[in-house]
Amino acid sequence: MVAAVGQGPSANLITPVNNSTVVPNTSINLAATAIAAGGTISSVQFYQNGSPVGNPITSPPYTSSFVPTLPGSYVFDAIATDDRGNTKVSNSSTVTAAFGTPTIAITSPKADVTKPNNAVRVTPNIPLTISATATAG
């Protein structure tokens, strides 16, 4: 093990953008910069909620990705390590994985704008057509 000596490196998490939202099962790009003061960067390791994401990256560009499989909040950061054993934790970024709110509309029969709340009168044995959409975010 190398004993930490001198000034440590700098680390900056570039992506993901803090407070962003993605749909579960969508890849999140991770990117960081790291600069060694008086030495060289030996690795950059990305973390999600304190757990390593993949293996340490030993040469630039320092990039990786993560796919959240469940809705929830995910906090990302990176740790840069220089050739003298010094480390620096980057800024963190929080990403929320969530499904969008669906919208539902009755498209047939058409709403009667002359009635309160654009009411639709349904007659027995007359088919209804309903459409629904869901958007990300």
Side-chain angles (χ1 to χ4, degrees):
M1 178 168 195
V2 177
V5 175
Q7 184 178 355
S10 65
N12 184 38
L13 187 66
I14 300 169
T15 60
V17 174
N18 192 33
N19 296 321
S20 56
T21 302
V22 299
V23 175
N25 295 310
T26 301
S27 182
I28 298 171
N29 293 321
L30 308 175
T33 58
I35 300 170
T40 58
I41 296 295
S42 60
S43 70
V44 171
Q45 175 68 61
F46 290 100
Y47 289 85
Q48 171 267 314
N49 292 351
S51 297
V53 174
N55 295 316
I57 300 158
T58 58
S59 62
Y62 304 111
T63 59
S64 188
S65 64
F66 177 80
V67 178
T69 57
L70 298 172
S73 182
Y74 296 83
V75 178
F76 296 92
D77 57 26
I79 296 179
T81 304
D82 68 16
D83 59 336
R84 296 172 293 173
N86 297 309
T87 61
K88 175 68 175 182
V89 179
S90 72
N91 52 305
S92 64
S93 180
T94 301
V95 176
T96 301
F99 292 104
T101 303
T103 59
I104 299 172
I106 297 175
T107 57
S108 176
K110 297 287 185 193
D112 185 347
V113 295
T114 64
K115 294 193 174 164
N117 299 322
N118 296 331
V120 173
R121 183 175 195 158
V122 179
T123 304
N125 300 319
I126 301 293
L128 289 176
T129 303
I130 300 174
S131 66
T133 58
T135 56

